[in-house]
């Protein structure tokens, strides 16, 4: 059972979807803390930020406790339209994507991002199971291990950014628990939102599935 864990980001980049496709279960860490200027509430489209307007100024609170201001659907749809209306695949893909986004309801940030995730999963034909666990009690690496044990993981697919906090000691903990630690070998084409892949590329899935060559 290969598992990946990620916070519910806003229409995230290709590396997010690479991890989802290559996992049996994809855990959405809705209980993690919101970082004020991080990607749970904003994403780059055409190399500039699109940001969801939040109620108040939440910071370092669980993502699933954060509320988004009313009208976010129009804000997001207009931002996408303004950036991509002249894109290669806008006419064939843009209106459908806008319609799906506009149909999403609710005001909770985690719920919104998960709903948008479902939109993208449907468009890409991804069938990986999405899971939300009970709130973990640990922090840091032990938090990850706690969640992995909750969902019965035998293998963990991690982004390479986690190397800094896992290191040798972390590898030992994975070994103790009998969980195989696997690093993502996704090849980055663009750090932009998945929306850029839909609008600019003939086959978004081909970009998502790109791997570093063995001799790179």
């Amino acid at each position: 059972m290969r598992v990946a864990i990620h916070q519910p980001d806003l229409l995230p980049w290709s590396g997010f979807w690479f991890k989802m496709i290559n996992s049996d279960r994809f855990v959405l860490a809705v209980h993690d803390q919101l970082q004020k200027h991080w990607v749970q509430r904003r994403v780059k489209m055409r190399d500039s930020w699109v940001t969801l307007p939040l109620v108040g100024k939440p910071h370092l609170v669980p993502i699933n406790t954060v509320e988004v201001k009313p009208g976010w659907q129009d804000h997001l749809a207009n931002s996408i339209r303004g950036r991509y209306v002249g894109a290669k695949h806008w006419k064939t893909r843009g209106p459908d994507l806008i319609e799906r986004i506009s149909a999403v309801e609710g005001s909770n940030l985690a719920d919104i991002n998960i709903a948008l995730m479902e939109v993208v999963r449907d468009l890409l034909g991804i069938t990986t199971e999405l899971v939300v666990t009970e709130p973990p009690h640990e922090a840091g690496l032990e938090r990850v291990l706690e969640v992995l044990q909750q969902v019965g993981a035998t293998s963990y697919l991690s982004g390479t950014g986690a190397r800094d906090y896992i290191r040798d000691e972390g590898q030992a903990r994975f070994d103790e628990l009998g969980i195989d630690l696997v690093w993502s070998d996704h090849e980055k084409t663009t750090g932009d939102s998945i929306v850029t892949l839909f609008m600019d590329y003939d086959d978004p899935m081909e970009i998502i599935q790109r791997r570093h060559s063995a001799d790179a």
Side-chain angles (χ1 to χ4, degrees), residues 15-214:
F16 180 99
W17 305 100
F18 177 89
K19 287 173 61 178
M20 185 182 293
I21 291 168
N22 289 285
S23 301
D24 300 305
R25 286 181 176 169
F26 192 88
V27 177
L28 297 166
V30 301
H31 308 292
D32 283 5
Q33 291 183 332
L34 175 76
Q35 303 295 321
K36 186 175 181 180
H37 297 298
W38 202 228
V39 290
Q40 293 80 47
R41 64 168 303 196
R42 66 177 189 164
V43 65
K44 279 195 172 181
M45 297 181 184
R46 290 280 187 260
D47 292 320
S48 63
W49 293 108
V50 173
T51 304
L52 293 183
L54 303 183
V55 175
K57 297 180 179 180
H59 181 52
L60 298 181
V61 297
I63 300 166
N64 63 351
T65 66
V66 177
E67 295 295 307
V68 180
K69 290 182 178 180
W72 67 264
Q73 296 95 333
D74 289 340
H75 172 74
L76 185 55
N78 289 336
S79 296
I80 292 172
R81 189 179 293 108
R83 284 166 171 77
Y84 298 102
V85 71
K88 181 178 181 180
H89 293 288
W90 171 259
K91 289 184 179 180
T92 56
R93 298 174 182 172
D96 179 45
L97 180 61
I98 293 295
E99 182 178 355
R100 290 171 184 250
I101 289 173
S102 298
V104 173
E105 299 179 347
S107 61
N108 179 272
L109 179 61
D111 291 346
I112 288 168
N113 286 350
I114 292 171
L116 294 174
M117 205 177 296
E118 295 281 7
V119 168
V120 174
R121 286 177 78 242
D122 182 55
L123 291 172
L124 293 173
I126 298 173
T127 58
T128 302
E129 180 185 5
L130 301 184
V131 178
V132 175
T133 66
E134 294 297 317
H137 302 288
E138 303 292 341
L141 174 61
E142 292 302 321
R143 187 181 185 91
V144 172
L145 294 170
E146 180 184 352
V147 170
L148 291 174
Q149 290 176 90
Q150 278 192 47
V151 298
T154 58
S155 176
Y156 175 51
L157 178 59
S158 176
T160 54
R163 288 184 189 271
D164 288 342
Y165 73 83
I166 291 181
R167 300 184 185 277
D168 294 339
E169 182 180 348
Q171 179 66 67
R173 288 288 290 126
F174 278 93
D175 293 342
E176 288 173 17
L177 295 171
I179 299 174
D180 190 27
L181 176 58
V182 180
W183 299 106
S184 170
D185 59 352
H186 174 61
E187 180 180 336
K188 179 180 177 179
T189 301
T190 173
D192 258 23
S193 168
I194 183 65
V195 177
T196 294
L197 271 61
F198 280 129
M199 299 305 153
D200 290 352
Y201 294 89
D202 295 343
D203 185 358
M205 190 65 86
E206 188 274 328
I207 304 299
I208 292 168
Q209 292 180 318
R210 284 185 180 178
R211 298 174 182 267
H212 293 294
S213 60

